[in-house]
Amino acid sequence: MASTRARSSERPGTPPRSQAREALGARLSGPPSRPAARPRRRFGLLRFGFLVAIWGLIAASVVLLILAWDLPRPESALATTRRPSTTLLASDGKLLATNGDLYGETLRLRDMPAHLPAAFIAIEDRRFRDHWGIDPIGLARAVHANFSSGRVVQGGSTLTQQLAKNLFLTPERSLKRKAQEAMLAFWLEQRFSKDELLEIYLNRVYLGAGTYGVDAAARLYFGVSARRLTPGQAAVLGGLPKAPSRINPRVNQAAAMTRGMEVLTAMTETGALTATQALQAAENIRFTVAPSRDAGWFADWVQDGMAGRVPASADLVLRTTLDPVLQAAAEARIDAILTGPGTPGGRAGVHQGAVVAMDATTGAVRAMAGGKDYRNSSFNRATQARRQPGSAIKPFVFLAALEAGIGPQDMIADTALNLGGWSPSNGQWRARGEISVEEALAHSVNTSAVRLLQRAGGYRKVADVARRAGLDGPFPRDATIALGTGEVTLLDLVAAYAPFANGGLRVEPFGVAEAKAEGRPWPLPRPDPQRAFAPEHMEAMRSMMAAVVARGTGRAAATPGRTVIGKTGTTQEYRDAWFIGISGGLVMGVWLGNDDGVPMDNVAGGGLPARLFREILEMAASGSPRG
């Protein structure tokens, strides 16, 4: 039995010793399943990592697709669209006004002084030539500086990133925009060399006041090409990208200067300048005088008149007819009379005024002020406001009388007159019975003017004379036309007086002497002056209008050393006061009143308007209109 049990416990065909060895091996090596566990675990981790990588790649591709979905085509870097610019120059070539996107000459690096690109690199991106579009070192430095100060004091964007933003992206602050900026920066670095990138940046960067590129900014702020910028001027421009709309010299010269000092310091740190050179550069910074803001009325009028006469999509440079000295004198004297309650106008209830000065021979407008302050009201009272001219219309009545054969020394009644129930008033004039035609104009006697109208052929004849001079009407169809009850603009009235100065020629007012479109001369055909009146009648009118200033209502306009002729005008209840005067070849008109038609306090054309005319002439002649 024992032998039987022993045999039954053995595996068939397996020797007992072999079984013992297998059992011992099994005990020493552990459970049979353990040798296969580790390979399976490694495979699981490898498969998980592979899946994470695949999904991560997919996620990154989706993010890149989202970021790139609305990216502009980078190839358009040098063909970005912009508003055409218009540059207005005064008659002496000085800058008057600009609008649109102002670009200057496109310059290569070799055309620029070395300190110009050095200024931008020193303050904006010192490692520009060492990074590949993104600067991790500069970014880390900016993060540390901002964290240490508790506020944003330093940016980490490279010049390439700024270029990408300026060329392709909006100023929006978002992570998406920053990521797109980085992508475009990498593309730009691959597409262009460092010198090419710097050239594009310097020719495209926005530097405030509508200027794009260093040449446009140099011309606007310093009056020179970027080729001739001094180190100090270059430093000012180099500091503008930080806040071009707030610290440019047209807005805040002190802030522009302070920022320029920071750039000069940075240039010494990079070795672009020595400390002595930086100090000298700071002392020599000078800005051009900003164009007068009040000349905005003239600028608006000029540009409105160019519509349809020049290419709409072209960059324009217009040399205008404006005389800066005369313009400044007009602005200064209007301000002196109207601004403040203690001024003559303030005491007399006058709140607005306008001035137009014109070359009587050609029609070139030399000065135009359309109100008291363009910044508060751009409405042009010289060209857009139609007001009653009062007695300023009378020269055309008297001219009609001359054409009808009546002479300056002929006599005319000045007594009361009644026409169908209408009786014109003579104000403070005391009737003498009869006076000469010349005296009637000199003292602006209303009843005499109406009688002359009747003798000259009636209101139709006077309207015809006024139209030939350049006043288009409409005019009253009755005798009140002799007292100026129609409506005119100051510009039209001044132009209509030009024949009295030039011998009888009608001229068309204009404000542009020369035009260039995309740098090429552009023709601006103008009508030639046309004969409207006989020279002998103009000579007689000048003689009578001289009496107005010498001994009549316009005595306040008399200017020592100059021959002045003209005519006053005052409407009912002192709502409008005018003086249109001629001195040499210059015709100048002045209007004072209130936009809402509220009467002034006894302000007649022979008072403040005539005085303003004289003061403008005297100030312009002195050559120091701001003094």
Side-chain angles (χ1 to χ4, degrees):
M1 291 291 294
S3 62
T4 302
R5 285 193 298 269
R7 283 196 301 268
S8 64
S9 64
E10 294 177 359
R11 295 181 183 176
T14 302
R17 290 185 178 179
S18 297
Q19 292 180 12
R21 283 197 298 270
E22 288 180 7
L24 178 62
R27 287 195 299 269
L28 291 176
S29 62
S33 60
R34 289 181 183 174
R38 286 184 179 174
R40 284 199 298 269
R41 184 178 300 169
R42 292 192 190 97
F43 176 77
L45 290 174
L46 183 62
R47 187 176 71 170
F48 177 76
F50 180 75
L51 290 175
V52 168
I54 291 295
W55 283 108
L57 182 61
I58 293 173
S61 300
V62 171
V63 170
L64 288 175
L65 180 63
I66 293 173
L67 292 174
W69 184 260
D70 59 352
L71 276 178
R73 292 173 58 86
E75 291 78 5
S76 63
L78 298 180
T80 53
T81 59
R82 60 184 179 87
R83 298 172 299 164
S85 67
T86 301
T87 302
L88 300 183
L89 307 177
S91 58
D92 61 358
K94 293 181 180 178
L95 182 67
L96 181 64
T98 62
N99 63 40
D101 296 339
L102 183 62
Y103 282 72
E105 183 183 357
T106 300
L107 302 179
R108 304 297 299 271
L109 280 184
R110 63 174 177 266
D111 300 324
M112 306 176 192
H115 48 256
L116 178 54
F120 285 84
I121 290 175
I123 197 66
E124 291 291 330
D125 188 3
R126 296 186 187 182
R127 288 173 39 79
F128 170 70
R129 296 193 178 278
D130 298 324
H131 60 66
W132 56 89
I134 305 295
D135 183 10
I137 296 177
L139 185 61
R141 184 170 54 247
V143 170
H144 179 266
N146 295 336
F147 181 79
S148 300
S149 64
R151 58 189 180 91
V152 178
V153 296
Q154 185 175 334
S157 294
T158 64
L159 286 182
T160 313
Q161 287 176 274
Q162 294 181 38
L163 180 60
K165 179 182 68 175
N166 292 339
L167 288 180
F168 306 116
L169 304 173
T170 68
E172 171 196 9
R173 293 178 177 270
S174 67
L175 290 176
K176 177 182 177 182
R177 201 270 292 162
K178 291 298 292 184
Q180 290 178 325
E181 179 184 292
M183 293 170 62
L184 288 169
F186 282 125
W187 182 89
L188 287 169
E189 290 279 347
Q190 295 300 314
R191 174 66 177 79
F192 300 104
S193 69
K194 288 291 186 179
D195 281 353
E196 288 172 334
L197 288 172
L198 195 55
E199 284 179 359
I200 297 172
Y201 178 86
L202 293 174
N203 282 293
R204 294 281 183 166
V205 62
Y206 181 62
L207 296 174
T211 61
Y212 288 81
V214 292
D215 192 62
R219 294 177 187 276
L220 180 66
Y221 301 139
F222 304 110
V224 299
S225 164
R227 301 169 186 267
R228 297 168 50 203
L229 284 171
T230 67
Q233 293 168 339
V236 170
L237 297 190
L240 294 182
K242 179 181 180 181
S245 298
R246 289 191 293 105
I247 62 174
N248 76 72
R250 281 288 181 263
V251 173
N252 191 332
Q253 287 193 3
M257 182 71 77
T258 299
R259 178 63 172 165
M261 300 298 181
E262 295 175 6
V263 177
L264 287 173
T265 300
M267 294 174 74
T268 63
E269 293 171 353
T270 59
L273 295 175
T274 66
T276 301
Q277 290 173 328
L279 182 60
Q280 292 174 343
E283 293 175 348
N284 293 328
I285 296 176
R286 298 289 186 276
F287 300 112
T288 57
V289 177
S292 167
R293 293 186 181 183
D294 291 338
W297 289 294
F298 176 81
D300 291 345
W301 173 69
V302 162
Q303 292 178 88
D304 289 345
M306 297 303 290
R309 301 183 65 195
V310 292
S313 60
D315 288 337
L316 302 177
V317 177
L318 308 177
R319 187 173 67 82
T320 72
T321 58
L322 198 76
D323 180 337
V325 175
L326 189 59
Q327 176 71 25
E331 295 169 11
R333 296 322 303 161
I334 284 182
D335 183 72
I337 282 182
L338 298 183
T339 302
T343 61
R347 293 193 299 269
V350 186
H351 299 104
Q352 278 298 347
V355 174
V356 170
M358 177 187 295
D359 186 316
T361 303
T362 64
V365 175
R366 299 303 186 192
M368 178 183 289
K372 180 171 64 174
D373 190 338
Y374 180 80
R375 290 159 290 190
N376 293 330
S377 172
S378 62
F379 178 72
N380 193 337
R381 294 156 188 84
T383 64
Q384 295 173 293
R386 297 184 64 84
R387 311 284 294 218
Q388 291 187 357
S391 294
I393 203 72
K394 285 179 181 174
F396 307 105
V397 178
F398 283 68
L399 178 54
L402 292 180
E403 291 187 337
I406 300 172
Q409 300 309 315
D410 290 348
M411 303 304 288
I412 190 78
D414 65 348
T415 53
L417 180 67
N418 188 296
L419 295 177
W422 175 61
S423 298
S425 169
N426 279 334
Q428 298 179 350
W429 175 258
R430 292 184 179 181
R432 301 176 186 177
E434 284 193 341
I435 56 176
S436 69
V437 171
E438 182 176 286
E439 287 299 304
L441 183 63
H443 297 284
S444 200
V445 181
N446 289 338
T447 55
S448 298
V450 173
R451 287 186 171 96
L452 281 173
L453 174 139
Q454 292 176 316
R455 291 171 59 179
Y459 71 85
R460 289 186 178 87
K461 175 62 176 178
V462 172
D464 173 68
V465 169
R467 288 192 180 97
R468 278 188 280 147
L471 294 175
D472 294 329
F475 300 103
R477 294 176 173 270
D478 53 40
T480 64
I481 189 176
L483 307 186
T485 56
E487 293 182 341
V488 299
T489 68
L490 177 60
L491 177 64
D492 288 343
L493 191 56
V494 168
Y497 269 60
F500 300 133
N502 65 26
L505 301 178
R506 172 177 172 166
V507 298
E508 297 290 336
F510 67 94
V512 178
E514 295 177 357
K516 288 185 177 181
E518 301 295 349
R520 297 181 178 180
W522 188 266
L524 292 175
R526 286 190 296 271
D528 294 328
Q530 298 295 315
R531 171 65 59 187
F533 306 105
E536 60 269 23
H537 291 154
M538 296 299 97
E539 184 177 352
M541 284 302 305
R542 285 195 295 272
S543 176
M544 290 192 289
M545 293 168 73
V548 173
V549 177
R551 59 182 184 275
T553 57
R555 291 188 298 274
T559 307
R562 302 178 70 103
T563 298
V564 175
I565 67 174
K567 184 67 184 77
T568 59
T570 310
T571 61
Q572 287 187 343
E573 298 182 341
Y574 301 100
R575 297 180 187 276
D576 303 275
W578 308 73
F579 183 79
I580 315 297
I582 298 170
S583 179
L586 186 73
V587 185
M588 182 161 60
V590 176
W591 168 83
L592 294 178
N594 295 309
D595 289 339
D596 55 7
V598 171
M600 299 174 286
D601 187 9
N602 296 317
V603 176
L608 288 180
R611 170 182 160 182
L612 184 55
F613 174 92
R614 184 194 74 240
E615 290 179 350
I616 292 172
L617 278 186
E618 291 176 341
M619 185 169 283
S622 72
S624 56
R626 297 294 184 189

